[in-house]
Amino acid sequence: MPRSSRFSLASLFRRRTRGGQEAGGLPSGDARRQTMKHLRDFIDTRQGVEAYVEPPTAQIPATILLVATTGEWTRRRVPDEKTAFDLAGELGVPVYNVRFIGYPQRMRDWTSAQRRK
């Protein structure tokens, strides 16, 4: 007996797009330019920024994480790890692989302080 529901099992697994992102969650067109602008602005307005490349997970593609000397940070999705390393080189910041280096303590301290506020 057919159901007349608005939702189906297939709709649970359908890839959806969200504000300026492709189905895989990666930025497209204008969103890429905005991402680059955001990263450059972050670097230009903070001191001692370093990049950390995070590997992809089952739900999220690879990301690039920028961390300032104060511990303030920002994260953006990238298509793959190689792109993240290339992007850090283009931005002129030191780059590290989170798999081998881990996250800097200053980032964790800054995040903890923000949560207490």
Side-chain angles (χ1 to χ4, degrees), residues 22-58:
E22 294 173 352
L26 302 174
S28 62
D30 241 8
R32 284 190 183 115
R33 284 186 288 282
Q34 291 173 359
T35 296
M36 284 299 292
K37 181 182 181 327
H38 172 77
L39 296 175
R40 283 196 178 104
D41 288 347
F42 187 88
I43 292 168
D44 291 343
T45 58
R46 287 149 185 95
Q47 292 185 330
V49 176
E50 298 174 328
Y52 293 82
V53 176
E54 299 175 307
T57 65

Side-chain angles (χ1 to χ4, degrees), residues 9 20 24 33 39 44 46 57 78 85 92 96 102 107-109:
L9 186 58
R33 284 186 288 282
L39 296 175
D44 291 343
R46 287 149 185 95
T57 65
V78 291
F85 280 101
Y96 307 100
M107 176 187 158
R108 287 178 270 176
D109 294 341

